[in-house]
Amino acid sequence: MTDNDYLIAWGLYAFAALGCLLVWFKLTGWMWRYLREPLRVIGAVLLFCPTVIDPVKETYAPALAISVLDLGLKVGNNVWRAALDLSTYGAIALGVYVVFALIRLPFLRKKKARQAHAEAVAAQAAAEEKENDEPFAAQVPSRYGSAATPPSKGGSGGTAGRYRVEPKL
């Protein structure tokens, strides 16, 4: 394999691994944040961790592919080196994630407190607006009701003694 073939193979693998990582992100999207994010880190480590397959030429291959092929075909002893690389890179990546999560935690708490305060202010403003919505409602018992008019004296047509009835909305 020439250097160009080697670089083309790694480029194709990187493109396919990015697609697999995107699918993994979609599959873990519904989960709780503190479960989803470490699973995504583990998925990225499994897909992008390289291991040495030929120390003389310094050629690398994906550690997951090497370990699966060596175990499946029962050839070579690269599976131990690949497992060691996977565990080392995984521990480093999870350690960096834990530090990132611990740094992010106070900012998330402040954000949650700001949101709770904003919701309380909005609820208080809505309650005040509702209270002030009908400023003249206390003067009239019903908003759409009107006082009954007394029956007219005399008059023609048979309207004497009848009141106008309107439906209430």
Side-chain angles (χ1 to χ4, degrees), residues 87-168:
S87 62
T88 303
Y89 288 127
I92 291 170
L94 285 175
V96 168
Y97 167 72
V98 167
V99 168
F100 170 73
L102 290 175
I103 290 172
R104 181 182 62 185
L105 192 63
F107 295 109
L108 290 177
R109 287 186 179 168
K110 284 182 183 179
K111 180 181 175 184
K112 206 177 275 190
R114 280 194 309 262
Q115 286 177 347
H117 179 69
E119 288 174 2
V121 168
Q124 183 180 7
E128 288 177 4
E129 184 179 322
K130 187 174 182 180
E131 185 179 296
N132 295 333
D133 190 28
E134 300 178 15
F136 303 111
Q139 297 173 359
V140 183
S142 174
R143 186 173 192 170
Y144 298 105
S146 59
T149 58
S152 61
K153 307 264 182 184
S156 62
T159 59
R162 291 190 186 172
Y163 296 104
R164 183 173 174 177
V165 178
E166 292 183 351
K168 295 214 178 207

Side-chain angles (χ1 to χ4, degrees), residues 3 6 8 21 23 32 40 46 48-49 54 57 67 99-100 120 142-143 155-157 162 166:
D3 287 339
Y6 180 71
I8 289 172
L21 192 64
V23 169
W32 179 53
R40 288 178 174 179
L46 287 175
F48 294 110
C49 175
D54 189 10
K57 292 183 182 178
S67 59
V99 168
F100 170 73
S142 174
R143 186 173 192 170
S156 62
R162 291 190 186 172
E166 292 183 351

Side-chain angles (χ1 to χ4, degrees), residues 29-49:
W30 61 272
M31 294 179 179
W32 179 53
R33 168 187 256 168
Y34 296 107
L35 176 64
R36 173 182 62 221
E37 290 176 351
L39 285 176
R40 288 178 174 179
V41 169
I42 290 170
V45 166
L46 287 175
L47 288 171
F48 294 110
C49 175

Side-chain angles (χ1 to χ4, degrees), residues 67-77:
S67 59
V68 167
L69 287 174
D70 279 358
L71 285 174
L73 301 175
K74 297 180 183 174
V75 293
N77 58 357

